[in-house]
């Protein structure tokens, strides 16, 4: 509900889970007042709004008004040059001339529903109520629109900004943030999902201090190193309690997410496209729209923030057809055979795929051009006749005849210098073709800002889809952009390349999604190098990391789950010793970790024993029974791998009838108490639940206050009673509500 007090010029955006309040300031700009738990409809905000500003040392906006300074006000969209010296939300220039815009309120509009627009990732849904505030700088003849969207069941607020040029001049936009949020405290920690290739989205928590703390990417992709999701949390906030604010960007390119703490301990979040190397030419009559960002708030700790984001992603970002789309359980050829395969070896892998009960064979890298290594053929999207002498169409027929689905790996955005495509069109690659360029994996990046490149990719991917009746695409992107220069754009527009690039990627993906609704795209960028809401708009699942070691995955999946739902995490059971870290972890541990997401397999099944194949078969069949719960239930983290030797998490169905708990202990410890318990959350306290593992029955209250009993391990003396022993212990517990109420 949007409540507007016209006299006091106050806007109150109110849902069951939050209130967000701002007002029109004396100069017509917008001042932020409050974001937090829901306040009453007729709340009187005078005590927040009518504070006489007596802060010393500020620049006054009006000569005769010593109380009004933009530097001391909280803002909805702050601008540099008129008294607020913090990093601005927008920067404009013409040539070397800088402007200090003064956007003042003109009017507002309320609309309902947010549409899904195929080519632009955004939050969508019939349940949204939208407020657009229009402001104008009358000297510059520019309109600024600030968009806010809310829905009653969520604490989230979706924001975006747009700039419309009604002047006769072309302005260069060199910075334009999607949203800002002022928080009246700096006694907070700054939390990011940071890491590296093979170590994505680890949780990093550090205290805020005066000045700027930020994460971002200037790699042309959201990156392995930082993720476009941050949280600010009270010092004592944990998974279950404490105030937490979060911000996320619906975008896959360069981003900036920062907090600036001023001298009065106001923490200002800015989130949007990274201004570095960004320069957009806004011609007379043009409009530029930023990507959307999402803010969320809670008093109930990190799990509640995750629930908010998981719900939005599942209901309002991911294409709705995937909700009832049973996700394939794949066997992927990459770690099974790397480049060393042909149609015969793949058909054998297909038979084993059937044997373990999986349903889809993914032919990963190596099926096209003459691709025997990472140095050749990217861009040549037709089959390698040496590997498929009977043609890929025939091979696809065989796979389909076996009752399996087929997936193919593509890396559409790339080209190898040793490829027919590059030989025909060197100018389609990014960077000046007659100058030195940097290489990553031997490859160059295609200029996705060039419509001809998109047309070529559409034609070659369409043809392969149609020839193979393809069911699944693994969409990879293995290097970041350097020497960013488009041979297609003129000099004036070079600063637009990286944004146009990502919009080109979206265009290509939306083409596939619209034309082939039965295909599922799994996203990947050298593992999780582009794990973001932009990509999830087109592909409901993302290969979480190239690191599939069970122990490392605990940390990666734990961190990733802060923002992203289990339905988006693609997790494969792979061989031991693990190919990335050489660690040997038991099969059931690998399965128990991978189960919390989209389960798949990526190992040479022909090297496994009959016992191991049977064990996998059972795991696949168990997983099938659980997938609905895992995707649609409420996921909560119980114990963090960043805080000790044990990790635990759980999913509870929305009706609270079914529960799946995963518990993992990395290293065995001597002389442990043989009665340890794990407290669950979110059950019905007055009902009994049966615990599958030991056939006991406990009340929800007992399970939440005392916990489920963990297996006893071999503790140096009681070998006979041990249920589990050695390093890498784990257990999945299934609980079911029984029709019995506590008396
Ligand atoms: C990337 C992906 C892997 C695999 C290889 C193939 O590294 O993350 O899963 O597809 O490329 O070259």
């Amino acid at each position: 509900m949007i409540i507007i007090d016209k006299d006091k010029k106050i806007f109150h955006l109110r849902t069951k889970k939050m209130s967000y309040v701002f007002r029109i300031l004396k100069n017509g700009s917008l001042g932020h007042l409050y974001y937090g738990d829901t306040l009453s409809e007729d709340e009187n905000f005078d005590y927040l709004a009518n504070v006489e500003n007596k802060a010393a040392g500020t620049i006054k906006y009006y000569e005769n008004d010593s109380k009004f300074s933009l530097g001391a006000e909280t803002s909805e969209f702050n601008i540099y040059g008129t008294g607020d010296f913090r990093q601005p939300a927008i920067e404009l220039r013409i040539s070397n001339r800088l402007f200090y815009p003064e956007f003042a309120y003109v009017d507002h509009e309320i609309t309902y529903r947010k549409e899904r627009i195929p080519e632009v990732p955004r939050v969508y849904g019939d349940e949204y109520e939208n407020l657009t505030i229009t402001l104008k700088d009358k000297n510059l003849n520019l309109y600024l629109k600030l968009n806010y969207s809310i829905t009653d069941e969520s604490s989230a607020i979706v924001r975006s900004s747009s700039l419309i040029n009604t002047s006769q001049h072309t302005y260069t936009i060199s910075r334009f943030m999607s949203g800002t949020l002022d928080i009246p405290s700096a006694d907070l920690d700054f939390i990011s999902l940071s890491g590296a290739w093979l170590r994505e989205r680890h949780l990093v928590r550090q205290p805020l201090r005066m000045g700027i703390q930020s994460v971002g990417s200037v790699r042309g992709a959201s990156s392995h190193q930082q993720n476009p999701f941050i949280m600010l949390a009270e010092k004592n906030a944990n998974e279950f309690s404490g105030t937490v604010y979060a911000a996320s960007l619906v975008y896959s390119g360069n981003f900036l997410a920062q907090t600036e703490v001023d001298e009065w301990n106001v923490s200002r979040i800015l989130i949007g496209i990274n201004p570095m190397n960004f320069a957009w030419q806004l011609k007379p009559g043009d409009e530029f729209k930023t990507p959307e960002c999402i803010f969320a708030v809670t008093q109930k700790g990190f799990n509640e923030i995750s629930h908010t984001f998981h719900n939005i992603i599942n209901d309002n970002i991911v294409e709705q057809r995937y909700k009832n789309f049973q996700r394939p359980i794949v066997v992927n050829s990459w770690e099974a055979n790397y480049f060393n395969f042909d149609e015969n070896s793949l058909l054998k892998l297909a038979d084993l795929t059937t044997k373990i009960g999986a349903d889809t064979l993914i032919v990963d890298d190596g099926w096209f051009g003459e691709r025997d290594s990472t140095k050749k053929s990217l861009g040549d999207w037709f089959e390698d006749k040496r590997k498929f002498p009977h043609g890929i169409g025939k091979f696809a027929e065989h796979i389909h005849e076996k009752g399996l689905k087929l997936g193919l790996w593509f890396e559409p955005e790339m080209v190898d210098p040793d490829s027919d495509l590059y030989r025909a069109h060197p100018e389609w690659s990014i960077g000046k073709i007659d100058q030195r360029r940097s290489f990553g994996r031997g490859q160059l990046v295609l200029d996705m800002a060039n419509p001809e490149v998109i047309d070529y990719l559409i034609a070659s991917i369409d043809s392969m889809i149609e020839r193979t009746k393809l069911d699944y695409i693994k969409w990879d992107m293995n290097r970041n952009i350097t020497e960013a220069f488009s041979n297609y754009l003129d000099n004036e527009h070079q600063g637009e390349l990286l944004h146009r690039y990502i919009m080109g990627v979206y265009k290509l993906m939306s083409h596939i999604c619209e034309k082939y609704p039965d295909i599922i795209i799994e996203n990947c960028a050298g593992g999780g190098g582009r794990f973001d809401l932009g990509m999830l708009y087109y592909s409901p699942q993302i290969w979480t990391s190239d690191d599939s070691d069970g122990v490392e995955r605990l940390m990666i999946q734990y961190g990733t789950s802060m923002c992203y739902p289990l339905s988006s995490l693609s997790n494969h059971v792979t061989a031991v010793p693990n190919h990335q870290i050489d660690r040997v972890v038991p099969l059931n541990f690998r399965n128990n970790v991978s189960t919390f997401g989209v389960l798949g397999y990526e190992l040479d099944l022909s090297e496994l024993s009959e016992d191991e194949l049977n064990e996998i078969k059972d795991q696949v069949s168990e997983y099938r029974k659980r997938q609905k719960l895992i995707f649609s239930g409420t996921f909560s983290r119980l114990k963090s791998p960043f805080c000790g030797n044990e990790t635990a998490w759980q999913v509870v169905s929305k009706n609270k009838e079914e529960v799946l708990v995963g518990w993992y202990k990395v290293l065995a410890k001597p002389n442990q108490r043989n009665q340890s318990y794990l407290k669950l959350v979110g059950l019905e306290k007055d009902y009994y639940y049966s615990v599958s593992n030991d056939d006991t029955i406990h009340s929800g209250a007992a399970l939440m206050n005392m916990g489920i009993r963990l297996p006893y391990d071999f503790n140096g003396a009681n070998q006979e009673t041990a249920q589990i022993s050695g390093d890498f212990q784990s257990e999945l517990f299934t609980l079911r509500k029984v029709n019995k109420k506590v008396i």
Side-chain angles (χ1 to χ4, degrees), residues 326-499:
Q326 190 157 25
R327 298 288 179 84
I329 299 183
V330 307
V331 170
N332 179 302
S333 67
W334 181 242
E335 289 199 15
N337 304 111
Y338 294 98
F339 292 108
N340 188 18
F341 62 80
D342 62 14
E343 58 183 23
N344 290 329
S345 69
L346 288 172
L347 288 171
K348 283 186 194 139
L349 190 60
D351 288 336
L352 290 167
T353 302
T354 312
K355 183 164 180 171
I356 62 165
D359 48 55
T360 305
L361 179 77
I362 309 300
V363 184
D364 206 277
D365 196 354
W367 60 267
F368 53 91
E370 290 188 348
R371 178 100 164 153
D372 295 327
S373 78
T374 55
K375 301 286 180 281
K376 217 177 162 184
S377 295
L378 287 176
D380 298 344
W381 301 112
F382 42 83
E383 75 267 35
D384 184 340
K385 284 276 163 43
R386 298 165 310 162
K387 294 180 184 168
F388 299 94
H390 303 99
I392 199 147
K394 199 81 211 149
F395 168 75
E397 267 177 36
H398 289 319
I399 296 294
H400 288 132
E401 274 158 21
K402 289 178 191 292
L404 291 174
K405 293 191 167 156
L406 177 67
L408 285 180
W409 180 95
F410 289 87
E411 197 178 358
E413 302 156 61
M414 300 289 152
V415 64
D416 276 320
D418 188 357
S419 66
D420 292 351
L421 178 64
Y422 188 79
R423 282 183 282 273
H425 286 292
E427 79 285 4
W428 283 3
S429 56
I430 286 185
K432 290 213 161 189
I433 50 182
D434 51 353
Q435 290 184 8
R436 188 207 59 79
R437 281 183 282 181
S438 308
F439 284 84
R441 249 194 169 200
Q443 66 205 43
L444 295 168
V445 185
L446 284 175
D447 182 358
M448 301 294 284
N450 182 345
E452 282 183 14
V453 172
I454 307 290
D455 289 346
Y456 165 79
L457 291 169
I458 287 181
S460 41
I461 296 174
D462 276 8
S463 146
M464 200 40 74
I465 291 176
E466 278 153 29
R467 283 180 58 211
T468 55
K469 303 203 171 37
L470 202 60
D471 305 291
Y472 184 115
I473 289 177
K474 178 169 170 193
W475 183 299
D476 211 340
M477 194 287 291
N478 275 303
R479 68 154 287 186
N480 291 141
I481 300 175
T482 54
E483 291 91 19
F485 177 84
S486 165
N487 295 292
Y488 163 77
L489 295 172
D490 61 21
N491 278 343
E492 204 196 344
H493 292 89
Q494 289 297 330
E496 301 176 3
L497 171 60
L498 294 178
H499 182 61

Side-chain angles (χ1 to χ4, degrees), residues 177-438:
M177 291 292 134
S178 298
T180 71
L181 178 64
D182 281 353
I183 298 164
S185 164
D187 203 11
L188 300 165
D189 287 333
F190 181 94
I191 299 168
S192 59
L193 305 180
S194 307
W197 176 56
L198 303 181
R199 187 158 50 70
E200 295 92 337
R201 291 172 299 285
H202 281 210
L203 213 55
V204 176
R205 181 172 187 164
Q206 47 201 333
L208 270 187
R209 49 178 163 67
M210 190 174 157
I212 295 173
Q213 265 158 292
S214 72
V215 292
S217 167
V218 287
R219 292 166 179 268
S222 50
S223 88
H224 296 89
Q225 289 72 11
Q226 303 290 359
N227 193 265
F229 172 80
I230 56 168
M231 293 187 284
L232 297 186
E234 274 178 353
K235 300 279 172 202
N236 61 356
N238 59 31
E239 291 290 4
F240 311 104
S241 66
T243 301
V244 186
Y245 302 87
S248 168
L249 194 63
V250 189
Y251 193 60
S252 314
N254 286 355
F255 76 93
L256 176 70
Q258 78 172 35
T259 306
E260 179 165 3
V261 178
D262 73 4
E263 67 264 57
W264 300 295
N265 285 337
V266 172
S267 301
R268 171 169 292 163
I269 297 180
L270 292 186
I271 186 164
I273 295 176
N274 198 311
M276 193 166 142
N277 281 10
F278 175 76
W280 191 272
Q281 302 305 311
L282 193 73
K283 300 207 168 51
D286 278 2
E287 175 171 14
F288 182 86
K289 296 181 178 170
T290 68
E292 291 185 339
C293 68
I294 304 171
F295 293 121
V297 67
T298 182
Q299 313 280 341
K300 296 185 193 145
F302 303 122
N303 274 318
E304 178 68 18
I305 283 288
S306 302
H307 300 160
T308 305
F309 276 90
H310 294 180
N311 287 340
I312 290 196
I313 294 171
N314 279 330
D315 296 342
N316 309 100
I317 291 276
V318 165
E319 172 66 83
Q320 284 313 287
R321 66 170 173 266
Y322 294 119
K323 265 204 140 168
N324 301 316
F325 189 113
Q326 190 157 25
R327 298 288 179 84
I329 299 183
V330 307
V331 170
N332 179 302
S333 67
W334 181 242
E335 289 199 15
N337 304 111
Y338 294 98
F339 292 108
N340 188 18
F341 62 80
D342 62 14
E343 58 183 23
N344 290 329
S345 69
L346 288 172
L347 288 171
K348 283 186 194 139
L349 190 60
D351 288 336
L352 290 167
T353 302
T354 312
K355 183 164 180 171
I356 62 165
D359 48 55
T360 305
L361 179 77
I362 309 300
V363 184
D364 206 277
D365 196 354
W367 60 267
F368 53 91
E370 290 188 348
R371 178 100 164 153
D372 295 327
S373 78
T374 55
K375 301 286 180 281
K376 217 177 162 184
S377 295
L378 287 176
D380 298 344
W381 301 112
F382 42 83
E383 75 267 35
D384 184 340
K385 284 276 163 43
R386 298 165 310 162
K387 294 180 184 168
F388 299 94
H390 303 99
I392 199 147
K394 199 81 211 149
F395 168 75
E397 267 177 36
H398 289 319
I399 296 294
H400 288 132
E401 274 158 21
K402 289 178 191 292
L404 291 174
K405 293 191 167 156
L406 177 67
L408 285 180
W409 180 95
F410 289 87
E411 197 178 358
E413 302 156 61
M414 300 289 152
V415 64
D416 276 320
D418 188 357
S419 66
D420 292 351
L421 178 64
Y422 188 79
R423 282 183 282 273
H425 286 292
E427 79 285 4
W428 283 3
S429 56
I430 286 185
K432 290 213 161 189
I433 50 182
D434 51 353
Q435 290 184 8
R436 188 207 59 79
R437 281 183 282 181
S438 308

Side-chain angles (χ1 to χ4, degrees), residues 12-192:
H12 179 178
L13 283 58
R14 182 173 184 275
T15 74
K16 284 185 194 148
K17 298 227 171 138
M18 67 91 184
S19 281
Y20 185 101
V21 188
F22 60 86
R23 64 181 164 144
I24 303 171
L25 297 173
K26 277 184 189 164
N27 71 336
S29 70
L30 302 184
H32 180 79
L33 286 178
Y34 172 82
Y35 186 32
D37 267 7
T38 311
L39 303 175
S40 80
E41 277 177 49
D42 53 6
E43 190 74 53
N44 182 348
F45 295 106
D46 287 353
Y47 79 109
L48 291 177
N50 298 337
V51 178
E52 291 219 329
N53 206 324
K54 294 183 178 153
T58 53
I59 299 279
K60 313 301 174 221
Y61 191 81
Y62 298 109
E63 190 187 354
N64 298 324
D65 184 346
S66 63
K67 310 255 167 57
F68 186 62
S69 160
L70 290 179
E73 291 292 342
T74 47
S75 171
E76 283 294 301
F77 195 85
N78 64 300
I79 283 159
Y80 172 78
T82 43
D84 187 343
F85 295 97
R86 287 164 283 182
Q87 297 269 302
I90 190 165
E91 268 175 349
L92 298 171
R93 58 193 162 77
I94 297 178
S95 302
N96 284 334
R97 180 168 168 209
L98 302 170
F99 294 93
Y100 310 107
E102 296 186 77
F103 290 108
Y105 172 86
V106 178
D107 59 22
H108 67 266
E109 190 188 8
I110 294 177
T111 55
Y112 299 91
R113 190 165 180 263
K114 265 177 115 286
E115 232 184 299
R116 187 173 170 96
I117 302 176
E119 291 187 10
V120 186
R122 69 201 300 254
V123 173
Y124 68 94
D126 290 346
E127 63 274 38
Y128 278 96
E129 189 176 7
N130 316 302
L131 170 68
T132 297
I133 309 268
T134 302
L135 304 108
K136 183 176 186 187
D137 182 313
K138 56 182 189 320
N139 296 320
L140 304 184
N141 262 312
L142 292 170
Y143 284 92
L144 172 70
K145 286 183 187 275
L146 301 182
N147 305 305
Y148 300 81
S149 297
I150 55 170
T151 159
D152 210 27
E153 300 301 325
S154 179
S155 80
I157 176 151
V158 183
R159 288 195 52 181
S160 66
S161 329
S162 77
L163 192 67
I164 300 161
N165 185 359
T166 52
S167 80
Q168 302 302 315
H169 313 288
T170 296
Y171 288 92
T172 303
I173 308 174
S174 48
R175 165 191 276 263
F176 196 9
M177 291 292 134
S178 298
T180 71
L181 178 64
D182 281 353
I183 298 164
S185 164
D187 203 11
L188 300 165
D189 287 333
F190 181 94
I191 299 168
S192 59

